[in-house]
Amino acid sequence: MRTIDWDSKKNNIIMIDQTLLPGEYKIIECDTIGSLCEAIKSLRVRGAPALGAAGGFGVALAAYRSNAPTLDVLIDEVAKAGKTIISTRPTAVNLSWGVKRVIRAIEDANNIKEVRVFSLDEAKAIADEDVEKNRELGRYGAALLDDGDTVMTHCNAGRLACVDWGTALGVIRSAREEGKDIKVISCETRPLNQGSRITAWELMEDKIPVTLITDSMSGHVMRKGMVDKVIVGADRITQDAVFNKIGTYTHSVIAKEHGIPFYIAAPVSTFDFEHYEDDIEIELRKPEELMYFGKHQIAPLDVKVYNPAFDATPMENVTAVITENGVFYPPFLIDEVRI
Ligand code: MRU
């Protein structure tokens, strides 16, 4: 199934629980805004484009679950639910983009039934478009890859970070579909290991050759000539920087040092050219993520911990941004991207 979807029989959100992978493949359902927010915060659903769909479906869920007696009360409740959903993860712009897009779609609703229908239609459109856009983005990105390339990636910008297909991994899937022999090096992505748990798993499911390394090995493999290109996703692209999983910036510096192209693959919905790097809040996560590995304690419990989920890579370290509207080489203007 898709990473996230709508169960039309129960009018609930269903999703693959990504915290259980690769050990267990389990579909869970969210039937309240509270359970959806818990799923987003604990990364059961994660990855910028998947969060866009989660935000959209979340607004529809709020409309379906509400017992509001009038249209005005319902609109008010849905708006409040939207704000609660947005507050769960501040850095990935797609989450607020998805919520706001569906809230805009209900502005013309004349009654409670229309709020439900319009919100669900728009949320489903976000999900369907995500798959189409990733396919288009994949085709543009595939043209940048040569037969025989080894691509290094960080975190998971694959089908599980999106509704389907993927951004960075979508480019690799598209290139392989064109018959190019592409191999992948996946960084494990501490502390929550999206690279080893999810990227390695989904590539192996598709029989795409993947080698797992620790994040700190990226300098070694790039210096040894084992990496032809780096492709990562993005959680937000401001005028001057690309926000992505913590560790991305380090890889960009090493890639620059060794003259290795460093590509970002992201849909246009990830662009936030109204802001600059310093305006953006980087999500800080719980110290326990560094103190425990699963249930195993790996640090003194009273140690001071700094655990930002994302970092910012300055645009000068980025070779190009691959989108569904084409490949853009910095510096570029947002009007060129949003054709
Ligand atoms: O904390 P996560 O797992 O949601 O972080 C995800 C990433 O950083 C991805 O690289 C990004 O969302 C791009 S997904 C296409």
Side-chain angles (χ1 to χ4, degrees):
M1 82 161 238
R2 287 178 167 186
T3 302
I4 182 162
D5 214 335
W6 183 261
D7 180 338
S8 337
K9 288 203 185 98
K10 295 185 179 167
N11 287 322
N12 285 341
I13 298 171
I14 46 174
M15 61 178 74
I16 299 168
D17 185 344
Q18 299 187 42
T19 59
L20 302 176
L21 290 171
E24 190 183 350
Y25 180 93
K26 187 176 172 191
I27 311 299
I28 54 166
E29 53 182 55
C30 295
D31 55 1
T32 60
I33 295 302
S35 61
L36 175 65
C37 290
E38 187 282 329
I40 296 173
K41 273 189 199 154
S42 59
L43 311 195
R44 298 183 199 286
V45 60
R46 46 144 300 279
L51 289 176
F57 282 130
V59 174
L61 185 70
Y64 272 85
R65 274 313 93 85
S66 167
N67 291 318
T70 64
L71 178 62
D72 286 348
V73 175
L74 177 61
I75 299 272
D76 198 43
E77 277 185 17
V78 167
K80 278 192 193 129
K83 279 192 188 136
T84 307
I85 296 167
I86 289 173
S87 69
T88 54
R89 295 203 76 191
T91 312
V93 73
N94 300 61
L95 180 61
S96 58
W97 170 86
V99 166
K100 286 174 189 165
R101 179 169 153 178
V102 175
I103 285 185
R104 266 199 311 276
I106 59 174
E107 274 168 10
D108 295 334
N110 293 307
N111 53 52
I112 289 176
K113 190 176 173 208
E114 279 189 1
V115 172
R116 293 187 176 137
V117 173
F118 290 2
S119 59
L120 186 55
D121 283 353
E122 194 69 8
K124 285 182 175 170
I126 289 177
D128 291 344
E129 284 169 25
D130 181 63
V131 186
E132 284 162 32
K133 285 173 184 171
N134 287 342
R135 282 282 189 168
E136 285 161 24
L137 181 161
R139 277 192 287 275
Y140 281 116
L144 301 169
L145 298 186
D146 296 308
D147 189 23
D149 272 353
T150 296
V151 176
M152 193 183 93
T153 191
H154 187 70
C155 195
N156 172 263
R159 74 175 179 86
L160 283 150
C162 303
V163 176
D164 205 348
W165 199 246
T167 56
L169 300 191
V171 169
I172 290 159
R173 287 195 167 95
S174 297
R176 287 186 61 92
E177 219 173 45
E178 289 173 11
K180 292 177 186 168
D181 175 24
I182 308 294
K183 295 182 178 61
V184 180
I185 291 180
S186 171
C187 297
E188 65 171 348
T189 317
R190 284 284 295 144
L192 295 179
N193 287 70
Q194 290 90 332
S196 55
R197 291 188 305 102
I198 305 174
T199 295
W201 179 79
E202 71 162 83
L203 290 174
M204 288 175 75
E205 285 278 299
D206 281 7
K207 305 209 174 347
I208 298 174
V210 55
T211 302
L212 177 64
I213 63 168
T214 66
D215 303 335
S216 54
M217 290 175 195
S218 75
H220 174 74
V221 294
M222 285 200 250
R223 187 156 180 265
K224 286 283 174 197
M226 293 163 72
V227 176
D228 298 295
K229 277 134 202 169
V230 180
I231 311 181
V232 294
D235 290 90
R236 187 187 291 251
I237 303 174
T238 59
Q239 295 229 5
D240 52 346
V242 174
F243 289 79
N244 193 49
K245 180 53 57 191
I246 190 77
T248 302
Y249 167 64
T250 315
H251 302 319
S252 80
V253 173
I254 302 165
K256 198 173 181 182
E257 168 73 15
H258 294 286
I260 297 169
F262 188 87
Y263 295 115
I264 305 296
V268 174
S269 53
T270 307
F271 283 73
D272 173 19
F273 265 37
E274 287 78 45
H275 293 108
Y276 288 88
E277 177 185 340
D278 289 347
D279 304 327
I280 305 307
E281 178 186 347
I282 293 190
E283 176 187 347
L284 287 179
R285 295 190 60 88
K286 290 188 299 197
E288 285 77 9
E289 291 180 355
L290 272 69
M291 289 172 171
Y292 290 91
F293 198 79
K295 289 193 174 133
H296 187 72
Q297 186 187 332
I298 54 168
L301 295 183
D302 50 357
V303 72
K304 192 175 162 201
V305 169
Y306 176 54
N307 185 19
F310 304 101
D311 61 24
T313 295
M315 212 44 108
E316 56 264 28
N317 286 10
V318 172
T319 307
V321 183
I322 307 161
T323 77
E324 69 272 28
N325 291 340
V327 178
F328 298 92
Y329 292 81
F332 52 80
L333 299 170
I334 192 64
D335 290 344
E336 299 169 47
V337 180
R338 281 195 194 124
I339 49 173

